[in-house]
Amino acid sequence: VVESVTYTTEGGRANNQHLVVHVRVVSGGGAPVANASVTIQVSRNGAPYATRIGTTDASGAAVFKLNRYPAGCYTTVVTQLSATGVVSTPDTPANSHCK
């Protein structure tokens, strides 16, 4: 289950910042899922912007960095989740980040 999708930024001035997308995956019982493969599609202003693939750590978090991202409103959808040999297209919680 995708528990959450959150955003942080890092870097200096606005035109030099990096957008960091955090996806947290938990089991149906709420325990973090480590070593899950997570594929995300990030959209900017409603249009596809980037696709990334990552792996969750022991806390169930996968972290994706988009370097020097331009102004706009971003949303992320988890398009594929693979854990313990099971591949799914999970529901993604509502999320957004505007710069």
Side-chain angles (χ1 to χ4, degrees):
V1 175
V2 177
E3 181 181 68
S4 62
V5 176
T6 57
Y7 301 87
T8 58
T9 57
E10 58 183 49
R13 297 171 299 199
N15 64 347
N16 198 27
Q17 288 184 322
H18 310 302
L19 179 63
V20 184
V21 181
H22 306 263
V23 176
R24 187 152 193 276
V25 178
V26 297
S27 68
V33 176
N35 298 313
S37 175
V38 180
T39 304
I40 64 170
Q41 173 68 54
V42 180
S43 295
R44 175 177 170 254
N45 300 329
Y49 178 72
T51 300
R52 299 285 190 271
I53 300 171
T55 303
T56 58
D57 61 16
S59 72
V63 180
F64 307 88
K65 185 190 272 188
L66 304 173
N67 293 326
R68 301 176 111 176
Y69 75 109
C73 288
Y74 293 80
T75 58
T76 299
V77 173
V78 177
T79 58
Q80 185 172 304
L81 178 60
S82 176
T84 61
V86 177
V87 178
S88 67
T89 303
D91 290 332
T92 303
N95 64 84
S96 67
H97 170 79
C98 293
K99 173 182 178 184

